[in-house]
Amino acid sequence: MYKMCILLIPLLFITGCSLDNAQKKTEQEQKVNQEVEEAVAASTEIIATNLTIPWTITKQDDMFYITQREGKLIAINQETGNVTPQKLTLTKAVLHEGEGGLLGFVLAPDFETTQQAFAYHTYTQAGQIKNRVVVLQKNEDTWTEIKTLLEEIPGGRIHNGGRMRIGPDGMLYVTTGDSGEPELSQNKNSLAGKILRMNLNGTVPEDNPIQNSYIYSYGHRNPQGLAWDNEGNLYSSEHGQSAHDEINLIKPGSNYGWPVIQGDEEAPGMVKPIYHTGNITWAPSGIDYHDGKLYIATLRDSKIRKLDLTNKSVSILHDKSGRMRDVYVEDTHLYSITSNRDGRGTPQEDDDKLIKIELSSQE
């Protein structure tokens, strides 16, 4: 009898573990099925096709203005889908190499009267790759550089950052990558691996966290998304080194750890992300906020995901279009652009595309 008990104990233990594993597997499968069902339910409309590596979505009334990484700007009519090439005149040529090119673009808050916008692009100087921020003046279908706000931002074949947004405070925010040199992210004398904040005339705001510096936050690897919630909190998306992609709540003057920490790692004086992807890679790019959630365009993950900021739950909004570069939310619709022709995707018919997704049934 004693020997029989010895044999039964391991057997019961193994059986219990098997049941637990089976239950966990079932729960995971149910979660995946729920995400897929949600993605299928989203109503999607294709607005424009045959774009070439679009990078940033901006919109004024019924007209989209979208940058293409090769150095071109296009206008797309929301109602007809007609694509109108824009003439872009810059004082320094766009370098489309690796991840560089014509990236960030944002209309001035008073665009209706001034017809001005801000652009971020890669260029070369003395054989080195750099990035710059300029002001453009629109005249019909021609956009001309009229002022340089900031130059010599470190650049490279990878990690150029490039997202620009006007904050609720009326300031221009710009993300920069580490340009492939991780140590620059911790260097406060370098503009690489940072989120920058400037007045719209290019000067340094007096209330920036570091006196006489554009740096608003540092310790970033390759941030490609910026968005504010209704309370004025700033969020940023960031590519991790090996998975561990991040969503960060940005506070002025804070250090977000790269390359010292990632994921749940901790170090004195460094801030952990409010959400990270663990061992899964999203390669998050553009983000936008709507009704308590961040909508996130992901490249490697090839989805548009939404992060509930209250409970940090994540679900899929759209997964039918391949690599997603940017999102733009207006009323109950989300607009997004694919990036399947960037050399890392598998182009589908008529790629790249501008698409429209209904949000009202998803909330």
Side-chain angles (χ1 to χ4, degrees):
M1 187 70 179
Y2 175 79
K3 292 182 179 180
M4 183 178 295
C5 292
I6 295 286
L7 291 172
L8 282 174
I9 291 173
L11 181 60
L12 290 171
F13 177 77
I14 293 171
T15 304
C17 289
S18 299
L19 290 172
D20 288 344
N21 289 336
Q23 183 177 359
K24 289 179 181 178
K25 184 177 180 180
T26 301
E27 291 173 352
Q28 291 171 350
E29 289 174 346
Q30 288 175 347
K31 182 178 180 181
V32 170
N33 290 336
Q34 288 171 358
E35 290 182 341
V36 172
E37 287 171 4
E38 181 177 7
V40 171
S43 174
T44 302
E45 173 189 345
I46 298 175
I47 296 178
T49 61
N50 296 302
L51 312 183
T52 305
I53 319 177
W55 211 88
T56 290
I57 305 173
T58 55
K59 189 172 184 288
Q60 176 70 22
D61 298 328
D62 63 350
M63 193 67 68
F64 293 95
Y65 297 102
I66 294 177
T67 58
Q68 298 187 124
R69 209 169 65 185
E70 62 181 356
K72 295 181 180 179
L73 179 66
I74 56 175
I76 302 176
N77 186 287
Q78 179 181 358
E79 299 302 322
T80 66
N82 289 339
V83 179
T84 305
Q86 308 288 284
K87 183 178 180 181
L88 182 61
T89 303
L90 300 166
T91 61
K92 296 182 180 179
V94 173
L95 176 68
H96 179 207
E97 181 177 309
E99 297 175 2
L102 180 60
L103 306 177
F105 184 83
V106 61
L107 302 176
D110 55 357
F111 176 73
E112 285 192 40
T113 56
T114 65
Q115 296 289 282
Q116 291 184 357
F118 305 91
Y120 180 103
H121 77 87
T122 313
Y123 69 105
T124 55
Q125 177 176 293
Q128 294 185 321
I129 300 176
K130 305 283 188 180
N131 292 292
R132 62 200 294 259
V133 179
V134 301
V135 181
L136 302 176
Q137 180 69 56
K138 182 180 185 294
N139 182 14
E140 296 183 346
D141 291 338
T142 297
W143 301 71
T144 304
E145 177 186 331
I146 60 172
K147 184 177 182 179
T148 302
L149 297 189
L150 183 61
E151 291 189 311
E152 299 189 25
I153 300 169
R157 286 188 53 81
I158 60 173
H159 303 177
N160 290 287
R163 193 66 61 194
M164 298 199 306
R165 296 289 296 269
I166 305 292
D169 55 4
M171 300 294 178
L172 178 62
Y173 290 75
V174 182
T175 72
T176 69
D178 68 8
S179 67
E181 299 184 43
E183 66 279 1
L184 294 180
S185 296
Q186 292 293 321
N187 183 349
K188 296 180 186 178
N189 294 317
S190 172
L191 296 178
K194 311 295 191 295
I195 294 177
L196 311 179
R197 178 178 183 258
M198 67 182 72
N199 294 308
L200 299 187
N201 62 6
T203 58
V204 176
E206 293 183 359
D207 60 347
N208 266 11
I210 302 174
Q211 189 174 11
N212 299 320
S213 173
Y214 290 106
I215 296 173
Y216 190 72
S217 63
Y218 64 106
H220 300 289
R221 184 173 183 266
N222 192 26
Q224 286 195 4
L226 291 173
W228 285 263
D229 65 18
N230 293 337
E231 284 70 49
N233 297 307
L234 174 59
Y235 300 89
S236 177
S237 62
E238 183 169 335
H239 291 202
Q241 180 181 25
S242 177
H244 295 95
D245 300 313
E246 297 181 355
I247 301 296
N248 286 300
L249 174 60
I250 303 299
K251 299 293 185 181
S254 293
N255 179 356
Y256 289 84
W258 175 252
V260 181
I261 61 172
Q262 65 175 354
D264 289 327
E265 295 174 348
E266 297 182 346
M270 296 183 180
V271 181
K272 295 193 302 182
I274 63 168
Y275 183 90
H276 71 88
T277 64
N279 294 323
I280 300 172
T281 299
W282 286 2
S285 192
I287 63 175
D288 209 349
Y289 173 85
H290 176 69
D291 195 24
K293 303 174 183 67
L294 283 181
Y295 290 84
I296 307 162
T298 67
L299 295 160
R300 182 75 65 84
D301 189 47
S302 297
K303 297 175 178 66
I304 299 173
R305 291 184 177 270
K306 62 180 179 181
L307 170 65
D308 189 312
L309 292 171
T310 301
N311 58 25
K312 303 303 185 294
S313 64
V314 175
S315 57
I316 300 171
L317 176 70
H318 179 79
D319 66 348
K320 303 299 182 184
S321 302
R323 291 167 63 82
M324 311 306 297
R325 175 62 71 177
D326 196 18
V327 290
Y328 179 95
V329 177
E330 183 179 61
D331 299 326
T332 59
H333 296 100
L334 178 144
Y335 300 91
S336 188
I337 44 178
T338 67
S339 189
N340 293 319
R341 298 177 64 182
D342 63 7
R344 294 179 177 176
T346 303
Q348 303 175 27
E349 184 179 359
D350 297 333
D351 267 334
D352 281 309
K353 302 178 182 76
L354 169 64
I355 64 175
K356 175 183 177 181
I357 302 172
E358 178 70 40
L359 290 181
S360 58
S361 61
Q362 303 299 308
E363 298 305 316

